[in-house]
Amino acid sequence: MVKTRKNTTGLKGSVRKMPLKLALLVAFFAGSSNLVFAQNLPQVPEEPSFWESTKTVRFIQNEDEEPSRASRENLPKNPEQGLGGRPEANPFAPLGIRSGNFMLRPSLEQGLRATSNSKNSSSGKNAVLSETQLRMDIQTDLPRHAAFLNLTGNWIKTISGDDVSEPFLLLNSGLRLDLDNQSRLNLGFDYMLRRESASSPNNLDVADENPLFHTLSGTVGIEREGNLLFGRADARFDRNIYGDADLTGGGTISQSDRNNNYVSAKLRGGFQVSAALKPFVEVEAGKRIYDDKYDHNGFQRSGNQYAANAGLMFDLGEKFNGELSVGYLRSQLDDDRLRNVDGLAFNALVNWSPQRGTDVALNARTLVEGATTANVSGSLLYLASLEVKHNIRSNLILTAGIDTRIRDNKDNTGFDYTYGAQIGATYWVNRFVALNARLRHEQMKSDLASRDYRSNSIYVGMKLQR
């Protein structure tokens, strides 16, 4: 069967005294990482929601939770009436369920979304969708070392209108071992399952439903920070596995020729101008290897990828912190008939709190996307989002955000520009129940008019947490 595709382009003492639970945890993560290393890497998905949430070694609290750090337990009790009480920083943060040195925070949200474009594509139609999200976050609060495991599962299903089935599963996990006061060993394992976007440049013309794909990722890294210099080395192994696509007239079409592995190494080094400012340089080299040497069109899609960046890490406390970098990204395929995909790369992760109760978050990243069309090597994708969260009252939170995706197609079809804007509100009935609502507008404008689409949606839901 011929496939028809859219023509787009000091470990010493501390380890010996390690608690039994922590030792078991180390063994678990090490075993998980070795499993992934035996498989290797996939292409990163295009949606911002993925790369914003999969920071492989992140030992921070969720944005709506209070930090769980070791502290005194015999503090004075606040008075029940009158002056002298100290309000909680976040009175509606989840309490969690404690088991030894582990804290579990589960949540469940159920809602309805009405949309004018169920698939966010040129062929999308009106629909009313049921959306269910289950989340479980597990973290440790040891004075040394740290570990986390976050699991998020989403299910979107049509109630009326255009038929949509969108499963999504994301698991992030990480383990940090403090070797001494200046050195740390980091391990991580991630897994994601989702359906390929209908607006993807690799979307099939003849497909009724795009394929599901699995992404498995494993990382190991070591970092050291001295009085003046600091450095970090990371190795990453990922794998992408694509399922079959359902055809409009019935039957399926295999996507197995897209399955691939990726292995990369990254080095970062810099110096401390002050405790708050740390300029750095970073280089990365990787190799992508497809299961099939040639794809269905007879092209070799395996190749090398290189990146070099210079940037600045800054930490002025909870008011202003993050990092910014700019550099160059290049993907060179083994097939001489396919041109290189390269260009400027911009990356950012910035948190700013101009006043108490207001938080601003900026995220940006540059990726290389592969292709499946004959004579097309891929595209360069720029992602960015800006979100503002403001507490009107302790139990009422307003949010607003904008995001964009700019795809530089390397097949002479120009650029695709996708813009989104969203406003929302969360009202906490009590510490365990919240009501959510949001409005969103999204549209794509492309140099090829056939790719254009527009979508408006409204969502209302209820969240339960512990």
Side-chain angles (χ1 to χ4, degrees):
M1 178 181 294
V2 179
K3 302 182 183 179
T4 304
R5 302 181 187 263
K6 184 177 293 184
N7 184 21
T8 62
T9 28
L11 195 55
K12 299 179 181 178
S14 61
V15 170
R16 288 197 298 266
K17 299 177 182 179
M18 185 180 296
L20 177 59
K21 289 184 179 180
L22 182 59
L24 293 174
L25 193 62
V26 172
F28 168 75
F29 278 98
S32 300
S33 300
N34 289 335
L35 175 63
V36 178
F37 299 159
Q39 300 183 56
N40 298 343
L41 173 120
Q43 300 177 33
V44 181
E46 63 189 52
E47 275 74 5
S49 59
F50 171 70
W51 56 262
E52 288 174 9
S53 61
T54 54
K55 303 172 181 67
T56 306
V57 187
R58 53 168 192 176
F59 303 98
I60 57 175
Q61 297 297 121
N62 298 313
E63 59 184 1
D64 57 350
E65 299 172 359
E66 296 177 357
S68 58
R69 54 173 63 92
S71 59
R72 288 178 56 195
E73 297 182 354
N74 60 339
L75 296 174
K77 183 177 179 180
N78 290 335
E80 297 182 1
Q81 299 181 12
L83 301 176
R86 296 179 299 172
E88 296 181 69
N90 187 351
F92 296 96
L95 295 174
I97 303 170
R98 177 173 292 280
S99 176
N101 291 317
F102 294 88
M103 180 66 75
L104 167 65
R105 295 181 176 90
S107 67
L108 173 66
E109 183 169 349
Q110 174 64 54
L112 296 176
R113 176 163 61 95
T115 176
S116 63
N117 191 330
S118 60
K119 297 180 180 179
N120 284 352
S121 70
S122 57
S123 61
K125 301 175 183 178
N126 297 339
V128 177
L129 308 174
S130 170
E131 298 190 5
T132 305
Q133 181 185 92
L134 175 65
R135 180 168 178 171
M136 299 183 67
D137 298 335
I138 303 176
Q139 291 183 320
T140 63
D141 59 357
L142 297 169
R144 285 174 56 86
H145 317 297
F148 74 87
L149 187 152
N150 298 330
L151 178 64
T152 301
N154 290 353
W155 178 256
I156 300 176
K157 187 65 177 178
T158 298
I159 294 179
S160 66
D162 197 17
D163 188 29
V164 176
S165 176
E166 295 288 346
F168 176 85
L169 182 64
L170 178 63
L171 182 148
N172 304 137
S173 60
L175 174 65
R176 187 197 74 218
L177 295 177
D178 299 322
L179 306 181
D180 55 38
N181 292 333
Q182 296 180 320
S183 304
R184 292 174 293 276
L185 176 67
N186 301 315
L187 302 173
F189 172 73
D190 298 337
Y191 169 76
M192 185 188 69
L193 165 69
R194 75 170 180 88
R195 191 176 301 282
E196 186 171 33
S197 170
S199 61
S200 167
N202 298 317
N203 184 34
L204 293 168
D205 289 330
V206 296
D208 179 58
E209 200 167 51
N210 284 335
L212 293 170
F213 72 88
H214 309 259
T215 299
L216 299 98
S217 305
T219 60
V220 59
I222 189 167
E223 57 182 310
R224 182 173 178 84
E225 187 165 333
N227 296 328
L228 180 61
L229 303 177
F230 66 90
R232 176 169 180 162
D234 295 285
R236 183 178 183 91
F237 299 82
D238 296 345
R239 176 165 178 79
N240 272 342
I241 305 173
Y242 289 82
D244 295 341
D246 296 330
L247 299 177
T248 303
T252 61
I253 184 170
S254 175
Q255 301 289 288
S256 62
D257 63 336
R258 301 174 63 184
N259 296 345
N260 65 86
N261 305 306
Y262 183 81
V263 57
S264 67
K266 182 188 296 184
L267 298 175
R268 173 182 289 200
F271 63 95
Q272 300 186 50
V273 175
S274 67
L277 298 176
K278 302 177 182 179
F280 67 88
V281 294
E282 182 178 86
V283 295
E284 180 177 2
K287 176 70 175 182
R288 188 175 304 279
I289 305 173
Y290 281 77
D291 292 359
D292 298 340
K293 185 175 181 180
Y294 296 93
D295 69 4
H296 68 285
N297 288 315
F299 288 85
Q300 299 181 68
R301 295 289 175 179
S302 300
N304 301 317
Q305 185 168 308
Y306 308 97
N309 297 280
L312 178 67
M313 301 165 62
F314 51 92
D315 188 352
L316 301 177
E318 62 180 10
K319 300 289 290 183
F320 193 49
N321 60 78
E323 67 176 62
L324 297 165
S325 68
V326 61
Y328 178 75
L329 181 61
R330 178 187 180 92
S331 177
Q332 181 177 325
L333 303 184
D334 292 344
D335 201 311
D336 294 335
R337 294 169 294 175
L338 299 176
R339 61 182 294 188
N340 298 328
V341 178
D342 58 356
L344 287 175
F346 304 93
N347 300 283
L349 179 60
V350 179
N351 300 297
W352 176 43
S353 179
Q355 65 181 36
R356 184 177 179 84
T358 301
D359 299 300
V360 181
L362 169 67
N363 289 275
R365 189 173 179 184
T366 306
L367 306 173
V368 171
E369 290 185 305
T372 58
T373 305
N375 298 308
V376 178
S377 54
S379 57
L380 206 59
L381 183 65
Y382 297 93
L383 306 169
S385 68
L386 179 67
E387 183 184 51
V388 180
K389 182 173 69 173
H390 180 67
N391 290 43
I392 300 295
R393 298 169 51 186
S394 61
N395 66 336
L396 179 59
I397 304 171
L398 299 182
T399 60
I402 56 174
D403 54 81
T404 184
R405 300 196 301 268
I406 302 177
R407 179 178 288 113
D408 180 5
N409 297 298
K410 301 300 182 179
D411 60 351
N412 298 319
T413 60
F415 288 79
D416 300 333
Y417 303 91
T418 305
Y419 308 101
Q422 180 173 297
I423 58 173
T426 299
Y427 175 75
W428 289 95
V429 179
N430 55 45
R431 194 157 198 161
F432 309 102
V433 180
L435 303 177
N436 290 324
R438 58 178 177 266
L439 294 169
R440 179 171 174 82
H441 170 77
E442 182 177 312
Q443 68 177 52
M444 174 188 279
K445 297 293 293 183
S446 174
D447 290 340
L448 288 181
S450 61
R451 301 179 188 171
D452 293 353
Y453 73 82
R454 180 173 298 193
S455 173
N456 296 293
S457 64
I458 180 171
Y459 170 89
V460 292
M462 175 182 290
K463 178 179 179 179
L464 307 177
Q465 71 173 20
R466 178 66 173 89

